[in-house]
Amino acid sequence: MISQTAEYALRAVTHLAYNAGAPQTNRQISESTHVPMPYLSKVLQGMARAGLIRSQRGIYGGFVLARSAADLTVYEVIQSVDPIARILSCPLGLKAHGVNLCPLHRRLDDAMALVEKAFKDSTIADVLAEPTTSKPLCSLPLTVASIP
């Protein structure tokens, strides 16, 4: 459903949300998320260009969320690195169809619209606060006192 790049971005953002306020290095994020460092660098750059994360230089530098996890949606993270493709006109290029999608392509686009809505309605804080015995990126149960 989503690309590996989008999955990696969500892992990185989740790691940053768990460590809110404490800059995280590329290495720390890579080790926690199991994302190869060169690939992670590319993903982080995309999210930084979109304004979702900030990088801080210096001895205590690293990456942090640009805003709180409660204000950051799953949709925004995905769109920053690998936007969800919607079907806006006939994929076959049939002039007779134009923007009037056939029943097959209308249903496919309707499904993508539902996925978009679900991602837009889910913040990173929502994902981390969901009651479950398995927390993202953690092998043991973790208690998160507060997710910003």
Side-chain angles (χ1 to χ4, degrees), residues 10-20 65 68-70 72 74 122-138 142-148:
L10 289 166
R11 290 185 202 177
V13 165
T14 300
H15 175 85
L16 294 175
Y18 272 133
N19 295 283
L65 293 179
S68 76
L72 182 59
V74 170
S122 299
T123 67
I124 299 302
D126 292 338
V127 171
L128 297 179
E130 188 172 309
T132 181
T133 57
S134 61
K135 294 288 184 182
L137 307 178
C138 297
L142 174 70
T143 304
V144 178
S146 67
I147 302 295

Side-chain angles (χ1 to χ4, degrees), residues 10-140:
L10 289 166
R11 290 185 202 177
V13 165
T14 300
H15 175 85
L16 294 175
Y18 272 133
N19 295 283
Q24 299 294 298
T25 66
N26 193 339
R27 181 173 303 284
Q28 288 170 313
I29 299 168
S30 175
E31 288 173 359
S32 171
T33 62
H34 302 279
V35 177
M37 281 186 29
Y39 202 140
L40 179 63
S41 293
K42 176 185 168 186
V43 170
L44 294 173
Q45 287 173 4
M47 290 192 296
R49 276 192 303 274
L52 303 183
I53 63 173
R54 290 190 319 262
S55 62
Q56 301 174 352
R57 292 181 181 245
I59 193 163
Y60 299 108
F63 295 92
V64 295
L65 293 179
R67 57 186 199 260
S68 76
D71 295 327
L72 182 59
T73 66
V74 170
Y75 177 80
E76 292 173 295
V77 175
I78 293 170
Q79 291 297 99
S80 73
V81 295
D82 190 21
I84 295 170
R86 296 289 303 273
I87 304 172
L88 304 176
S89 62
C90 178
L92 300 175
L94 300 175
K95 291 182 184 190
H97 291 194
V99 295
N100 298 313
L101 299 178
C102 70
L104 171 65
H105 290 115
R106 167 99 30 239
R107 286 177 192 229
L108 293 174
D109 188 60
D110 288 348
M112 292 311 299
L114 292 173
V115 169
E116 268 189 7
K117 182 176 180 349
F119 290 162
K120 286 177 179 178
D121 290 346
S122 299
T123 67
I124 299 302
D126 292 338
V127 171
L128 297 179
E130 188 172 309
T132 181
T133 57
S134 61
K135 294 288 184 182
L137 307 178
C138 297
S139 58
L140 299 173

